[in-house]
Amino acid sequence: MKPAERVGVRKRLLPGGFFALHITCWRLVMTPRRSWAEPWKIKMVEHLRMTTRAEREAAIAAAGYNTFLLPSALVYIDLLTDSGTSAMSDRQWSGLLLGDEAYAGSVNFYHLEQAVRKFYGYKHLIPTHQGRGAEHILSQLCIKPGDIVPGNMYFTTTKVHQELAGGRFADVIIDAAHDPDSEYPFKGNCDLAKIERLIKEYGADRIPYLSLETNVNMAGGQPCSLENMRATRDLCHRHGVKVFLDATRAIENAFFIKKREPGYADKSLADILSEICACADGCTMSAKKDHLVNIGGFLAVNDDELAERARNMVVIYEGLHTYGGLAGRDMEAMAIGIGEAVQYDHMAARIGQVEYLGCQLIEAGVPIVRPIGGHGIFLNAAKLLPNMPREQFPAQALAAALYVESGVRAMERGGVSAGRDQDTGKNLLPKLELVRLTIPRRVYTQAHMDVTAESVIELYAHREKIVGLRFIHEPKYLRFFQARFEPVKGNKVLLD
Ligand code: F0G
């Protein structure tokens, strides 16, 4: 097939592709489909600035080769994160004007409470400024020093709050999640045998809860099946261990269940979301993802006593229990965003756009985590740069080089993000050494995805020019956000 024909066919791809899981992208591309378009149109635009390669070389050096330290004004296509980067709808923007900025009992709090009860089903809502605010409160209230907190792969902020409360995270995700090439459709699943082993080894008394993340971020945006979530809940509850969801991307998870799990094809995302939430005693939530807002989060629980304690604690760290660090207008935008996020057309477009980018990279032979996940494409840096020692942080170097090459900003999800072992102080070197190209919701068009794919493919062709990095500044907590590096030789991360 000639390239022009290929593009023509590929344009008809979205939002298909989910109808059969184990087929290759080529077969997806070849499937005849009608054209597809985003279920929204653009009302306001924000100009993008293009930079020269010399400007980008200077900028990344000044940022210590850490894409988190780049000024966004020097970024062309910003795929750092899908967190707080969504474009809000006109309805959400109009909701901002309905903000009731009363200190206590804002109208918008009750709207949000209604939406959370309706779609997530939990009795008590404790708003927080974002997800980690809720993680902090849950960890402090439930974890005692010496406790073990099992979870289906770590997430950076979740784990640090567990550790600060005196606990220790234990990974119970299935082994396939650590294999970027495994095509298993539910790589977010828990391994029940691993949970049982922990209960046997430490005793249920030392396990305050299991943290169950939906559409597991660090595994590449990989979903859990409802069958597995139910089995996990039943096993934990049998031993008196609670289950709390990290529901940050639960609606994206619901979409994959609808597409992949037998028996759910005809159910709405809202119904599947309710079934997911019924697998847990409550949840922490970063609303900056699924809920299409720029700030916000919450803790939601069923237990009256836990809710009472959480309400008491939120006033110390976040704000009164009816605003939790948010303005009334933020809560209104969130309440509206939840209703939009469960719409099938929205989610098909959102996940379809990620798939569109991923298929182009697979087609070009660029190693990425498979199956393509929900919120981004994860480049397999370990495979892409096989000769670079892990101690030189291949994913960090690759993300910095991609910025120099194209102005596209991605982020490291590998050894730098993993941090150090709590006991030995040694660098943790997780199997997954990845660069995440995270797609903000409703922000970029397919043309931006084409430019991104071309940039990655171009860099892939010259990958031997990427130079490894070493730390020159390493913060104690969540080091990936603020760490600084330098090239191990010379003064460029991407040679000319
Ligand atoms: N849980 C998950 C699964 C997340 O992805 C995040 C944030 C949080 C909790 C914390 O929420 O940022 O609102 O405090 N993830 C962002 C990311 C930072 O880029 O993946 P927060």
Side-chain angles (χ1 to χ4, degrees):
M1 194 187 280
K2 287 189 256 85
E5 285 175 303
R6 214 183 295 153
V7 170
V9 178
R10 204 193 288 129
K11 287 249 186 304
R12 278 185 248 129
L13 172 66
L14 289 175
F18 294 103
F19 58 93
L21 255 177
H22 296 286
I23 54 178
T24 64
C25 268
W26 263 113
R27 269 201 269 152
L28 278 175
V29 169
M30 296 302 290
T31 309
R33 300 186 79 81
R34 295 290 301 272
S35 289
W36 173 93
E38 288 84 356
W40 38 260
K41 58 183 178 172
I42 296 165
K43 195 180 298 231
M44 189 186 279
V45 298
E46 182 181 337
H47 289 281
L48 296 178
R49 173 158 173 229
M50 298 205 196
T51 47
T52 63
R53 180 163 169 147
E55 281 174 317
R56 293 192 294 274
E57 278 176 349
I60 199 72
Y65 300 90
N66 184 348
T67 52
F68 275 101
L69 301 180
L70 286 169
S72 85
L74 296 177
V75 172
Y76 175 36
I77 297 176
D78 201 348
L79 307 183
L80 184 73
T81 176
D82 63 331
S83 183
T85 52
S86 295
M88 290 205 295
S89 67
D90 50 359
R91 291 195 183 95
Q92 286 177 293
W93 277 100
S94 60
L96 295 186
L97 293 178
L98 302 176
D100 168 13
E101 306 306 342
Y103 187 88
S106 157
V107 162
N108 316 111
F109 167 77
Y110 297 106
H111 289 169
L112 180 60
E113 186 180 55
Q114 239 175 7
V116 171
R117 281 199 184 134
K118 176 171 171 193
F119 291 107
Y120 289 80
Y122 300 120
K123 190 168 162 195
H124 301 286
L125 166 72
I126 294 101
T128 57
H129 76 286
Q130 58 184 79
R132 67 199 74 177
E135 290 170 347
H136 173 219
I137 291 171
L138 182 69
S139 303
Q140 290 293 328
L141 290 179
C142 297
I143 300 172
K144 299 184 303 301
D147 279 355
I148 304 294
V149 190
N152 49 343
M153 201 170 267
Y154 84 100
F155 184 70
T156 52
T157 59
T158 322
K159 181 167 166 247
V160 84
H161 279 298
Q162 292 165 355
E163 290 173 354
L164 287 170
R168 182 181 292 266
F169 167 82
D171 192 8
V172 295
I173 204 165
I174 55 171
D175 290 343
H178 294 282
D179 173 5
D181 299 323
S182 160
E183 292 275 2
Y184 189 67
F186 291 105
K187 282 164 87 173
N189 280 354
C190 290
D191 182 330
L192 301 187
K194 289 184 187 171
I195 303 172
E196 270 170 352
R197 239 176 280 141
L198 281 179
I199 295 174
K200 209 178 231 167
E201 191 177 340
Y202 296 99
D205 292 353
R206 284 182 61 194
I207 306 180
Y209 62 88
L210 177 139
S211 179
L212 182 58
E213 187 186 331
T214 45
N215 240 43
V216 181
N217 189 350
M218 302 298 281
Q222 303 292 328
C224 311
S225 70
L226 259 170
E227 186 189 20
N228 183 265
M229 286 190 266
R230 287 204 187 99
T232 301
R233 172 200 58 197
D234 292 346
L235 170 62
C236 288
H237 283 183
R238 236 186 354 262
H239 292 275
V241 173
K242 287 196 160 71
V243 176
F244 286 104
L245 279 185
D246 180 338
T248 295
R249 295 183 182 84
I251 309 176
E252 289 178 1
N253 198 129
F255 182 83
F256 284 116
I257 288 172
K258 184 175 168 76
K259 292 294 163 187
R260 298 179 181 176
E261 191 162 352
Y264 293 94
D266 297 329
K267 294 212 170 174
S268 69
L269 297 186
D271 287 343
I272 298 171
L273 177 63
S274 301
E275 292 193 38
I276 292 173
C277 291
C279 295
D281 301 281
C283 73
T284 54
M285 178 79 201
S286 169
K288 299 170 74 173
K289 284 81 168 175
D290 268 358
H291 295 170
L292 301 157
V293 288
N294 306 121
I295 195 72
F298 58 77
L299 172 67
V301 298
N302 283 331
D303 186 283
D304 296 340
E305 197 222 315
L306 181 60
E308 174 62 24
R309 292 168 62 218
R311 286 200 185 99
N312 199 211
M313 191 154 179
V314 81
V315 296
I316 308 172
Y317 291 104
E318 304 278 319
L320 193 71
H321 59 280
T322 55
Y323 75 86
L326 297 169
R329 55 179 170 268
D330 299 327
M331 292 189 282
E332 190 64 29
M334 235 162 105
I336 297 169
I338 295 174
E340 293 183 4
V342 296
Q343 298 306 313
Y344 176 81
D345 284 353
H346 159 68
M347 202 46 90
R350 190 274 182 289
I351 293 183
Q353 189 179 42
V354 175
E355 189 193 25
Y356 175 78
L357 172 61
C359 282
Q360 293 195 47
L361 297 180
I362 290 173
E363 205 181 306
V366 179
I368 67 169
V369 172
R370 311 277 290 263
I372 295 168
H375 65 304
I377 298 302
F378 290 67
L379 307 177
N380 183 351
K383 200 161 176 180
L384 214 140
L385 300 171
N387 300 324
M388 186 181 291
R390 289 292 301 274
E391 291 70 22
Q392 294 181 13
F393 307 114
Q396 188 75 29
L398 180 59
L402 179 63
Y403 172 73
V404 172
E405 169 75 30
S406 62
V408 171
R409 171 156 70 170
M411 75 171 283
E412 191 266 3
R413 290 272 82 151
V416 179
S417 292
R420 290 181 182 273
D421 185 281
Q422 256 178 313
D423 298 329
T424 64
K426 287 212 168 112
N427 275 322
L428 294 167
L429 291 179
K431 280 200 188 129
L432 299 178
E433 176 71 11
L434 309 174
V435 168
R436 188 181 72 175
L437 300 161
T438 341
I439 313 302
R441 297 163 185 81
R442 307 192 293 207
V443 170
Y444 292 115
T445 64
Q446 284 191 201
H448 292 110
M449 296 302 108
D450 291 340
V451 169
T452 302
E454 285 161 18
S455 305
V456 174
I457 292 165
E458 181 69 25
L459 181 62
Y460 180 62
H462 304 291
R463 57 195 183 278
E464 74 289 346
K465 293 185 177 167
I466 301 174
V467 178
L469 297 171
R470 64 174 159 245
F471 272 109
I472 53 172
H473 168 64
E474 184 185 350
K476 185 166 174 206
Y477 299 116
L478 302 176
R479 63 184 186 177
F480 59 95
F481 282 132
Q482 291 147 332
R484 302 183 74 85
F485 302 83
E486 65 181 8
V488 289
K489 57 176 188 290
N491 59 359
K492 287 190 172 181
V493 71
L494 182 61
L495 303 177
D496 296 323

